[in-house]
Structures are given as C-alpha cells and as structure tokens.
Amino acid sequence: MSLENFLIVGAIIFSIGLYGALTKRHAVTVLMCIELMFNAVNITAVALSRYVTPSAVLDGSKGAAEAVLTGQVFAIFIITVAAAEIALGLAIVIAIYRTRETVFVPDANQLRK
Amino acid sequence: MTLGQGTEDSLFIDVVFWVIAVSSIVSAIAVVQSKDLFRAAMFLVISFVAVAGLFVLLRAEFLAAVQVLIYVGAISVLILFAVLMTRDVEGGSPSNRQVVPIGILAVLFGAVAIFVSVDTDWNLLETTLSSGTVTPDVADGITGVFSNTVPVVAKLLIRDFVLAFEVASVLLLASIIGALALVREG
C-alpha cells in the first residue's frame, strides 16, 4: 500500500467514469459517471495529501504541519460542488422529462433548432 | 518513521486495501456496463462505500464519514429518485456510436495517468521526515496531525480557507433555489 496504488485506483476509476460519461445516452447514467469521476479525483487529492510533502513543510513556515491536510480540505470542497451539481443535474433531467418525455441526452436539442 | 503509529506495513492492511480497491473498480465498471439503471445505481452505492474505505486507509476519517453521509446517504437517494421517476422510458442505458474511439481515449488517458503516477519521483513525506531536513517540532507536528486529523481540518476550513467555505455555502443555497425552481409545477 503506497501512494502509487491509490493514484492508480483513482486513474482507473476516472477512466471508467470518463468512458461512461462520454458514451452513454441516458442522462442519469451520465450523471452517475460524473460522480465516479469526482470520487476518483477525491481519492487522488486525499492520497497526495497523505503521502507527499507540501512545500510549506520544506520552507519551515508557520503552520507547516497543518498544511499536509490541504488535500483533505480540497476534497471537502469537491464533495460540496458535487452535491450541488447532482441536485441541479437531476432537476434538469426531471424538467426535460416532463416537457419532452425523454431522458436521452441527444434528444434534448431544443437550442439547436 | 511511521506517521501516527501506523500498522501500515502489515499484510492485513494490504489485503484490506486490495479488497477495497478491486471492489470499487469492479462496481465502477458495473455502473457503466449494467443494463438496468436501478442496478447501476446500486453498484454506484457500493463504489461510494468502497471509496469511503479508501479514505479510512488514508487516515481521512472525517472525509470517510462525510462520504457516507453525502454520497451514500443523499446523492444515491437522489439518483434513485430520478431513476424511478423516469422509469417508464425503456431501453436501459444505450451507448452512442462513439464507443470505440472514446474507449480508446479513456484507456489512453488511464495509461498516461498511471504512467505519470508511477514514474514521477514523488517527494514523499516519510523520506522527508526520516532524512531530517525538517526541524523536529515540525516532524512531531506532522505525526500529531495524522494521529487526529479532524481538528486540523476544522482549523484549515475556518481559518485558511474561510472565503472558499463561505462561497461554498452560497453555492449550496443557489443550487437549492435552482433545483426548486426547475422542478416547480407549471
């Protein structure tokens, strides 16, 4: 169990999410794959904050020991943004389903006409 | 020097890591490949729980709790609601015509990311601490931070990142109002 193991897991999950988000036509599946990508980024951020030396520690500046947890704070903000994104995304999916009777991404093309 | 009285090198922890990592990756694949949307959402929940386990292994206990509360508790319920409300649209989760090029793109991206993460000479915390380039009180402080991370995360959130913290609350408020406005009748 080292830094590389966590980064590899994050990279694999991100690739799976990327593939799903770009190929799937169902809007809810696309949102689920976007959540997978958020999770992969969170794993990477927390793993880097756990294993890598921040520059504040090398400089010996004030509060250097606390700077090692910056990645965890980033992950908290990423989770916040993900929650806001999924709420709005599902609201948009339901609004489109009400008006157009479809949940497939290519069918939501009102702006193109 | 181990950080925070680690049992990190024991075989048991390695086995736990591999079980969690494999289950998170397998359930992520199942999310993409599953024909039934409801089943895909359930696999997504398994993937979220596995990621929470990875957070525990990374000594981010607070984040693991937040992951279970927000992802497993809230986001998956939202997704299940959306799946059930749009259920009568049949056909599972079809793919578009670009499966092969996007598959190649995703594999290439993953390969490059894995190559970079293996090949980079990371400035690891443990080697920094054992090489003695930092003062002993900073080294003790880092060990103490990893023995109990929650107060340090709270201090960082309220002090160093307070502007982003407040902006996040505005973002959440805006998304509540936006979601309510979008799904309002008429």
Side-chain angles (χ1 to χ4, degrees), chain A residues 1 3 5 14-16 19 22-26 29 35 39 46 50-51 53 58 66 82 92 97-98, chain B residues 3 8 14 18 32 37 48 58 67 71 88-89 93-96 99 109-110 123-125 128 159 183:
Chain A
M1 194 175 80
L3 172 64
N5 296 42
F14 191 92
S15 303
I16 296 168
Y19 168 79
L22 291 181
T23 57
K24 293 298 171 183
R25 296 177 66 224
H26 200 297
T29 314
E35 290 305 307
N39 264 303
V46 177
R50 168 73 180 78
Y51 284 105
T53 316
L58 296 176
E66 291 163 4
I92 289 172
Y97 179 68
R98 276 199 187 142
Chain B
L3 297 170
E8 328 246 310
D14 270 352
W18 285 111
V32 177
L37 263 189
F48 287 160
L58 287 167
Q67 171 90 7
Y71 276 100
D88 42 335
V89 176
S93 184
S95 301
N96 59 16
V99 169
F109 177 84
N123 194 0
L124 287 180
L125 208 48
T128 311
R159 198 186 55 199
V183 298

Side-chain angles (χ1 to χ4, degrees), chain B residues 37-38 41-42 45 75-85:
Chain B
L37 263 189
F38 193 84
M42 283 305 170
V45 173
I75 288 180
S76 55
V77 171
L78 264 181
I79 288 176
L80 284 177
F81 261 127
V83 169
L84 293 178
M85 286 182 81

